[in-house]
């Protein structure tokens, strides 16, 4: 029998997806009105233990709105991670604001010590306003990403944000279901600790609506404003009065129908992903030159993506691993390129970038779908035990 293709991360739609979507079609509620949208918003807020949730078309539009409701304007700067998916940072540019790129630590999330050093040494703080000494611009906000389902150091981040009056936008697009097990934020979910958080339901995320996103917050004013801006900023429903520029970012009932069915299965997906992670970790850590990066031990991670670290002592390098696995029908991919190396960001401000460069060169993601079966994971491990140049 020929080996089947093992994808990196694909949807798992074996619950009530068909039933709910069929219901949406049968009742002819397929657009942005309809009961599933409100229901999905409510259930996500309930799941993440926060005051409310506002649906949107995808994670990217959610981040755009997140920045807007935090009051970021074209004259401001936003501190962002350098090692992440570019969709986390593009919305800063949609607004016309400028990013300041920050390094990661060994968890791949924002390095809090460097963040503190930047605020302390490169900026001035007067009248409740942090100003970047180099550009004289107002550093208004901080956008953190919970990479691969890990949790950024929110205690450290909120501490700095409070000290320097920074708004905090959490890009939790990869981390729905991740929460603290202990400490100051015990039981708090990724996305619900800062001013506003964003989840994504893109096809490669842990649960999917095809494309979709959710803005979550404990601040009712921000939630109200997010709903207003995602629905064309209609100040009067009947007479179509608009006092601001709004967006058509609301999720459709079809997407929400999928989302509800997926949310019902989320804890099960996390359980499967945890088991596969533990299997990979125990087997791969035994292979000289390889290891699986860990999730922090003070959190319950959603185990979204597995990061394989390839040391110099392994016989083939990152790109060779990707090619070799591809030849074995195993899909893998490098971690993203540094955002400051992408054309639209050339010349952007960067602050002491070191770790991000190292991890970029050494990490690849390996198959992690919630429908990955043990036999497939065993096959991936067997391949990694016999590296070849192809
Ligand atoms: C997936 C993702 C996004 C964007 O979400 P979409 O729903 O695809 O728009 C943003 N940031 C990060 C870190 C992501 O992984």
């Amino acid at each position: 029998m020929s080996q089947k293709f093992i994808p990196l991360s694909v949807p798992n739609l074996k619950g009530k997806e068909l039933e709910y979507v069929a219901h949406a079609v049968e009742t002819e509620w397929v657009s942005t009105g309809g009961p599933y949208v409100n229901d999905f918003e409510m259930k996500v807020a309930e799941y993440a233990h926060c005051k409310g949730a506002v649906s949107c078309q995808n994670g990217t539009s959610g981040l755009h709105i997140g920045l807007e409701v935090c009051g970021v304007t074209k004259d401001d700067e936003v501190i962002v991670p350098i090692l992440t998916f570019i969709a986390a940072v593009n919305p800063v540019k949609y607004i016309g604001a400028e990013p300041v790129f920050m390094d990661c630590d060994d968890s791949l999330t924002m390095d809090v010590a460097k963040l503190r050093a930047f605020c302390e040494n490169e900026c001035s703080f007067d009248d409740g306003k942090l100003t970047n000494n180099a550009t004289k611009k107002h550093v208004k906000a901080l956008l953190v990403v919970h990479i691969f389902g890990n949790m950024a150091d929110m205690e450290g981040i909120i501490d700095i944000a409070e000290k320097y009056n920074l708004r905090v936008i959490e890009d939790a697009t990869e981390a729905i279901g991740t929460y603290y097990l202990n400490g100051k934020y015990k039981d708090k979910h990724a996305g619900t600790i800062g001013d506003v958080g964003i989840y994504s339901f893109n096809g490669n995320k842990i649960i999917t609506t095809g494309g979709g996103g959710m803005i979550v917050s404990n601040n009712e004013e921000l939630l109200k404003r997010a709903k207003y801006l995602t629905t064309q900023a209609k100040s009067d429903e009947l007479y179509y009065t608009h006092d601001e520029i709004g967006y058509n970012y609301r999720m459709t009932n079809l997407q929400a129908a999928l989302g509800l069915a997926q949310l019902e299965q989320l804890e099960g997906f996390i359980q499967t992903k945890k088991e596969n992670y533990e299997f990979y970790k125990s087997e791969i850590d035994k292979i000289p030159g390889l290891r699986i990066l860990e999730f922090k031990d003070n959190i319950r991670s959603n185990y979204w993506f597995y990061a394989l670290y390839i040391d110099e002592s392994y016989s083939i390098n990152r790109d060779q691993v990707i090619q070799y696995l591809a030849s074995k029908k195993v899909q893998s991919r490098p971690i993203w390129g540094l955002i400051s190396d992408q054309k639209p960001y050339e010349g952007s401000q960067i602050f002491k970038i070191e770790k991000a460069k190292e991890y970029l060169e050494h990490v690849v993601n390996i198959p992690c779908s919630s429908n990955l079966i043990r036999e497939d994971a065993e096959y991936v491990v067997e391949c990694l035990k016999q590296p070849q140049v192809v």
Side-chain angles (χ1 to χ4, degrees):
M1 208 181 71
S2 70
Q3 175 60 39
K4 72 171 184 202
F5 175 68
I6 305 177
L8 184 65
S9 181
V10 289
N12 186 347
L13 306 170
K14 296 174 191 72
K16 293 193 172 153
E17 287 83 358
L18 256 184
E19 184 186 320
Y20 294 172
V21 172
H23 182 255
V25 173
E26 277 158 16
T27 55
E28 298 180 330
W29 284 100
V30 293
S31 193
T32 52
Y36 284 129
V37 185
N38 295 331
D39 204 17
F40 187 39
E41 289 176 333
M42 229 178 59
K43 294 259 165 64
V44 168
E46 217 170 84
Y47 175 81
H49 309 301
C50 65
K51 285 237 172 87
V54 174
S55 72
C56 48
Q57 277 297 324
N58 45 50
T60 310
S61 59
L63 287 159
H64 185 187
I65 296 298
L67 289 160
E68 284 227 355
V69 299
C70 284
V72 175
T73 72
K74 65 175 178 30
D75 301 321
D76 298 326
E77 290 184 349
V78 181
I79 299 170
V80 299
I82 195 158
L83 189 66
T84 187
F85 184 41
I86 199 161
V89 181
N90 281 341
V92 172
K93 287 281 198 176
Y94 298 168
I95 287 176
E98 284 298 325
V100 177
F101 288 104
M102 196 57 56
D103 202 10
C104 64
D105 61 20
D106 292 315
S107 73
L108 304 184
T109 63
M110 192 175 283
D111 184 323
V112 168
K114 283 184 178 166
L115 172 65
R116 193 182 297 277
F118 175 79
C119 295
E120 253 170 44
N121 306 328
E122 309 293 324
C123 300
S124 323
F125 188 61
D126 291 301
D127 280 342
K129 207 168 146 179
L130 190 68
T131 303
N132 183 340
N133 293 338
T135 59
K136 306 284 178 249
K137 285 195 170 184
H138 181 190
V139 183
K140 181 72 154 280
L142 181 55
L143 192 149
V144 292
V145 182
H146 301 297
I147 302 281
F148 298 157
N150 215 343
M151 183 89 85
D153 173 4
M154 292 308 291
E155 284 196 25
I157 280 164
I158 297 294
D159 202 43
I160 294 168
E162 281 175 353
K163 183 163 176 200
Y164 294 107
N165 196 17
L166 300 168
R167 303 282 76 74
V168 177
I169 297 114
E170 290 181 73
D171 177 336
T173 50
E174 305 180 353
I176 188 169
T178 295
Y179 59 83
Y180 274 108
L181 291 172
N182 49 50
K184 187 174 173 191
Y185 297 121
K186 183 173 189 295
D187 296 330
K188 287 262 188 197
H189 280 242
T192 69
I193 301 166
D195 292 282
V196 64
I198 288 88
Y199 297 134
S200 163
F201 311 116
N202 186 38
N204 68 340
K205 300 301 201 276
I206 190 164
I207 58 172
T208 185
T209 58
M214 197 67 84
I215 301 159
V216 292
S217 180
N218 282 308
N219 181 325
E220 313 231 22
E221 279 303 305
L222 294 193
L223 287 165
K224 222 171 103 188
R225 204 164 150 68
K227 172 87 182 281
Y228 174 71
L229 290 174
T230 51
T231 52
Q232 306 281 28
K234 226 180 265 168
S235 304
D236 186 283
E237 279 288 332
L238 181 61
Y239 294 103
Y240 283 76
T241 315
H242 305 270
D243 297 323
E244 283 183 68
I245 301 290
Y247 305 90
N248 182 13
Y249 277 174
R250 194 157 176 79
M251 180 180 276
T252 67
N253 204 48
L254 278 176
Q255 291 167 303
L258 261 184
L260 267 180
Q262 288 273 282
L263 190 62
E264 291 171 359
Q265 299 164 84
L266 177 53
E267 282 300 312
F269 290 171
I270 293 173
Q271 185 55 33
T272 305
K273 274 166 136 15
K274 177 176 194 276
E275 285 163 13
N276 285 332
Y277 165 82
E278 281 164 359
F279 172 75
Y280 271 142
K281 180 145 186 64
S282 70
E283 293 300 313
I284 290 175
D285 285 2
K286 287 189 271 192
I287 304 173
L290 295 184
R291 65 191 164 93
I292 296 286
L293 296 188
E294 286 174 24
F295 295 100
K296 293 180 179 176
D297 56 18
N298 59 344
I299 61 161
R300 195 294 292 265
S301 173
N302 74 353
Y303 298 90
W304 178 57
F305 251 41
Y306 312 141
L308 172 69
Y309 188 96
I310 303 152
D311 204 74
E312 256 82 41
S313 64
Y314 195 58
S315 68
I316 57 177
N317 67 24
R318 181 196 73 171
D319 296 332
Q320 290 168 327
V321 168
I322 294 167
Q323 282 163 24
Y324 163 63
L325 289 177
S327 77
K328 295 283 185 186
K329 297 204 177 171
V330 175
Q331 188 182 19
S332 65
R333 60 151 220 212
I335 201 167
W336 316 274
L338 299 186
I339 298 178
S340 57
D341 289 342
Q342 313 300 323
K343 215 167 179 185
Y345 293 96
E346 279 168 7
S348 291
Q349 296 178 77
I350 57 174
F351 184 71
K352 299 202 161 100
I353 305 302
E354 291 148 333
K355 285 258 155 97
K357 288 185 189 156
E358 179 205 326
Y359 283 101
L360 165 66
E361 281 164 25
H362 292 277
V363 173
V364 306
N365 296 115
I366 55 174
C368 64
S369 308
S370 54
N371 45 30
L372 183 82
I373 57 173
R374 178 55 55 89
E375 203 182 308
D376 294 343
E378 280 168 0
Y379 174 76
V380 174
V381 169
E382 282 315 306
C383 291
L384 290 171
K385 281 183 184 162
Q386 309 158 51
Q388 291 160 27
V389 181
V390 295

